[in-house]
């Protein structure tokens, strides 16, 4: 076999091996980058989720700076994973917390500005709408929209439409039970005309919410904190789960 031919043969063989090596190295690199990206997204998501859980347990502990840091984190997550409805849902919650934390400020001027220009709430609504565009049958997104409408003082037909849609797509969801219990009890305490509009739902979702272990504690705490054991017993009736199991002390009512 001529030397030139052998040289060309080996040269071609090495090129092929080099191409294969480069291909596998590229695949390995992209896999590594993908894993690193996924690790960052998951880690950051749980960091934000844990912060939200802490604030829900102790709302007075939240600060505006804490929320702004969490917002920056979730924005980075969305940049890396822009098609996940859950991340927009969390972003909406964070904007609501930003509005809440701003209103905790002791500076009267700051509070007045927050009340007159609720930009955070409008941004929260946009985030919830983005979430619902990706996942329209998610009750959390519809509850988010209803929550923003409530905070804006817009208890109109659209508010009830959002609430009805949440009930329709998630009739057994803990987030639906908790929101209706909080809204209904607040309307009762404030003697609002909206109490009559929500009463039927309040009775139904108090019962379901106390049965559900994911919402039971928060609803029972809500009843206790507002000293509403007697009205709750009346709303629920003697045969409901909360009464028959003794979770509500209705024996003297």
């Amino acid at each position: 076999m001529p030397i030139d031919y052998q040289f060309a043969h080996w040269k071609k063989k090495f090129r092929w091996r080099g191409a294969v090596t480069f291909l596998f190295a590229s695949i390995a690199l992209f896999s590594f980058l993908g894993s690193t990206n996924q690790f960052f997204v998951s880690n950051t998501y749980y960091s934000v989720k844990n912060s939200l859980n802490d604030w829900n347990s102790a709302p007075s502990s939240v600060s505006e700076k804490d929320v702004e840091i969490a917002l920056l984190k979730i924005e980075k997550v969305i940049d890396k994973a822009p098609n996940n409805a859950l991340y927009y849902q969390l972003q909406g919650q964070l904007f609501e917390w930003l509005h809440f934390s701003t209103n905790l400020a002791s500076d009267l001027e700051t509070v007045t500005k927050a009340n007159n220009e609720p930009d955070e709430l409008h941004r929260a609504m946009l985030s919830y709408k983005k979430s619902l565009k990706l996942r329209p049958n998610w009750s959390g997104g519809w509850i988010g929209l209803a929550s923003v409408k409530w905070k804006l003082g817009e208890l109109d037909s659209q508010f009830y439409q959002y609430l009805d849609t949440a009930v329709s797509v998630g009739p057994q969801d803990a987030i639906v039970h908790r929101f209706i219990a909080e809204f209904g009890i607040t309307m009762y305490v404030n003697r609002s005309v909206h109490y009559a509009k929500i009463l039927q739902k309040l009775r139904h979702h108090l019962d379901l919410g106390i049965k559900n272990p994911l919402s039971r504690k928060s609803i029972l705490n809500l009843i206790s904190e507002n000293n509403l054991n007697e009205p709750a017993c009346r709303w629920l009736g003697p045969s409901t789960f909360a009464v028959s199991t003794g979770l509500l002390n209705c024996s003297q009512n």
Side-chain angles (χ1 to χ4, degrees):
M1 182 179 294
I3 294 177
D4 290 344
Y5 178 81
Q6 287 182 337
F7 178 77
H9 172 73
W10 285 106
K11 187 176 180 182
K12 183 177 181 181
K13 191 172 183 179
F14 280 124
R15 281 181 180 173
W16 172 248
R17 286 182 178 177
V20 171
T21 301
F22 176 77
L23 176 62
F24 279 108
S26 298
I27 292 172
L29 177 61
F30 283 119
S31 297
F32 172 76
L33 292 175
S35 299
T36 302
N37 185 62
Q38 185 58 45
F39 176 79
F40 169 81
V41 168
S42 299
N43 231 26
T44 308
Y45 160 74
Y46 282 110
S47 172
V48 173
K49 189 74 166 59
N50 289 337
S51 295
L52 284 169
N53 290 338
D54 291 341
W55 301 338
N56 283 320
S57 300
S60 60
S61 67
V62 67
S63 72
E64 186 177 351
K65 183 178 180 181
D66 290 337
V67 183
E68 288 175 344
I69 290 172
L71 271 167
L72 288 174
K73 289 180 178 179
I74 205 66
E75 285 169 7
K76 290 178 181 178
V77 168
I78 289 173
D79 284 342
K80 292 182 179 295
N83 296 317
N84 192 311
L86 177 59
Y87 302 150
Y88 291 106
Q89 171 76 11
L90 288 184
Q91 187 182 49
Q93 292 179 49
L94 289 172
F95 280 128
E96 287 195 75
W97 275 108
L98 185 59
H99 178 74
F100 174 80
S101 65
T102 303
N103 279 280
L104 281 177
S106 57
D107 185 341
L108 181 60
E109 182 180 349
T110 303
V111 174
T112 303
K113 181 181 178 182
N115 287 329
N116 290 336
E117 300 177 12
D119 183 55
E120 298 90 357
L121 295 179
H122 293 134
R123 291 159 78 184
M125 184 166 284
L126 287 175
S127 294
Y128 289 134
K129 287 180 177 179
K130 288 177 182 178
S131 177
L132 287 168
K133 188 175 181 179
L134 293 166
R135 192 175 173 182
N137 292 324
W138 195 1
S139 63
W142 296 105
I143 287 295
L145 291 179
S147 176
V148 171
K149 292 284 284 185
W150 183 11
K151 288 180 173 68
L152 288 169
E154 299 175 358
L155 298 180
D156 51 18
S157 59
Q158 191 174 52
F159 166 82
Y160 284 101
Q161 181 184 346
Y162 291 152
L163 193 57
D164 288 342
T165 305
V167 172
S168 176
V169 300
Q172 301 295 331
D173 291 354
I175 191 173
V176 175
H177 306 325
R178 287 194 299 265
F179 181 82
I180 291 177
E182 182 181 1
F183 178 72
I185 285 174
T186 302
M187 295 303 103
Y188 173 79
V189 170
N190 292 336
R191 301 179 183 273
S192 169
V193 295
H194 290 276
Y195 166 65
K197 295 182 180 181
I198 200 67
L199 179 57
Q200 185 176 352
K201 282 187 174 68
L202 175 61
R203 286 172 170 164
H204 181 64
H205 287 278
L206 276 180
D207 184 32
L208 293 180
I210 294 174
K211 287 178 181 176
N212 189 327
L214 297 178
S215 51
R216 179 182 301 147
K217 182 178 179 181
S218 61
I219 291 178
L220 289 175
N221 285 344
L222 192 62
I223 292 170
S224 176
E225 289 165 1
N226 289 278
N227 195 27
L228 294 178
N229 196 78
E230 188 276 329
C233 292
R234 186 173 67 249
W235 291 329
L236 290 167
S239 62
T240 54
F241 174 81
V243 178
S244 61
T245 57
L247 289 171
L248 284 177
N249 180 20
C250 298
S251 58
Q252 296 179 352
N253 296 308

